[in-house]
Amino acid sequence: EVQLVESGGGLVQAGGSLRLSCAASGFTLDDYAIGWFRQAPGKEREGVSCITWREGITYYSDTVKGRFTISSDYAKNTVFLQMNDLKLEDTAVYYCAVRKVGGMWYSPSGYDYWGQGTQVAVSS
């Protein structure tokens, strides 16, 4: 059974940091890319970052570039999203998802499997 489990969300003050984890099980990630998305109340789900498992190529949205870092731990089949200098507008439910490599990394429709999400709340 394919499973993605996110963890690491929470409440943090503006300017603070959080590290999200996405643990994958039930399949091998070699030909896949792992993306992080977020969805705030009343807004569409947006792509935040993505990493290709085999090559380690990374992508970031303009809104998080320079503040967020995506990385992977091959031994643990886990992808991380280090979020620094968090802003109020980063408040959202964060999801990880998996897709075959290729296509528009920021488009949710291209992803085959999704985690259940983890809440990130940034306070002033």
Side-chain angles (χ1 to χ4, degrees):
E1 178 189 2
V2 174
Q3 223 177 3
L4 298 172
V5 179
E6 302 100 333
S7 60
L11 175 64
V12 64
Q13 284 192 323
S17 298
L18 284 174
R19 189 174 83 151
L20 305 184
S21 300
C22 173
S25 62
F27 64 111
T28 56
L29 293 168
D30 286 351
D31 296 321
Y32 287 86
I34 300 87
W36 281 100
F37 288 78
R38 65 186 182 188
Q39 189 164 20
K43 294 190 175 182
E44 293 187 353
R45 192 167 296 190
E46 65 166 331
V48 173
S49 184
C50 179
I51 186 168
T52 61
W53 189 255
R54 191 191 300 270
E55 297 87 1
I57 299 170
T58 59
Y59 305 88
Y60 297 94
S61 68
D62 289 341
T63 56
V64 307
K65 198 174 294 182
R67 300 188 297 123
F68 291 10
T69 303
I70 191 169
S71 62
S72 56
D73 184 327
Y74 299 108
K76 296 182 179 179
N77 239 30
T78 299
V79 171
F80 303 99
L81 186 69
Q82 178 67 42
M83 306 187 295
N84 297 330
D85 189 24
L86 283 161
K87 305 177 185 299
L88 296 178
E89 53 265 38
D90 293 320
T91 295
V93 178
Y94 283 70
Y95 301 89
C96 66
V98 171
R99 65 173 293 156
K100 284 285 191 178
V101 174
M104 297 177 290
W105 72 267
Y106 48 85
S107 174
S109 63
Y111 287 76
D112 302 309
Y113 304 103
W114 291 82
Q116 81 289 349
T118 185
Q119 176 72 53
V120 170
V122 183
S123 64
S124 58

